[in-house]
């Protein structure tokens, strides 16, 4: 029942949290979520619009990198799910 943190790479860790079935990151704002996906950093500079959410916009550098196989589709799908969850929580916050 001990929590263990495994280092995968520089600044990359994974936590083994036995007994936890959910993980919440409500302290992150949806508009800042892309900063937590390191593989988005370079493609973001190719986004046509400032403040691109990388979800619905045309001309999105992140979505283009996914199409080219430069970003793993499962990572992008996880980003979209987390983004949607955060947006929903933000709507109910106030």
């Amino acid at each position: 029942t001990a929590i263990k943190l495994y280092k995968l790479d520089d600044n990359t860790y994974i936590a083994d949290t036995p007994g936890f079935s959910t993980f919440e990151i409500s302290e992150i704002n949806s508009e800042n979520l892309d900063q937590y996906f390191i593989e988005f950093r370079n493609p973001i500079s190719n986004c046509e619009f400032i403040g691109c959410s990388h979800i619905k916009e045309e001309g999105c550098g992140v979505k283009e990198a996914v199409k080219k196989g430069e970003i793993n589709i499962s990572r992008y799908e996880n980003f979209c799910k987390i983004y949607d969850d955060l947006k929903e929580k933000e709507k109910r916050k106030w």
Side-chain angles (χ1 to χ4, degrees), residues 2 11 13-14 22-23 29 31 35 37 39-40 46 49 57 60 65 70-71 76 81 85-86:
N11 299 316
Y13 298 86
I14 189 166
T22 61
F23 182 71
N29 293 325
E31 67 266 10
Q35 297 172 21
F37 285 73
E39 63 271 40
F40 287 18
N46 296 323
F49 303 104
E57 297 88 353
C60 173
E70 296 168 359
I71 294 176
Y76 178 71
K81 181 182 180 327
D85 290 345
L86 291 173

Side-chain angles (χ1 to χ4, degrees), residues 7-65:
K7 184 174 183 175
L8 301 178
D9 203 352
D10 288 340
N11 299 316
T12 306
Y13 298 86
I14 189 166
D16 182 6
T17 56
F20 288 90
S21 60
T22 61
F23 182 71
E24 188 170 320
I25 53 168
S26 58
E27 70 277 358
I28 297 173
N29 293 325
S30 60
E31 67 266 10
N32 297 327
L33 180 63
D34 59 5
Q35 297 172 21
Y36 295 87
F37 285 73
I38 193 167
E39 63 271 40
F40 287 18
R41 289 186 183 157
N42 289 333
I44 284 173
S45 64
N46 296 323
C47 290
E48 188 174 337
F49 303 104
I50 294 172
C52 183
S53 70
H54 320 298
I55 304 290
K56 297 181 266 187
E57 297 88 353
E58 295 294 324
C60 173
V62 171
K63 289 175 18 181
E64 188 61 33

Side-chain angles (χ1 to χ4, degrees), residues 25 33 37 77-87:
I25 53 168
L33 180 63
F37 285 73
E77 289 170 349
N78 286 336
F79 168 83
C80 292
K81 181 182 180 327
I82 295 168
Y83 181 87
D84 289 342
D85 290 345
L86 291 173
K87 286 298 276 185

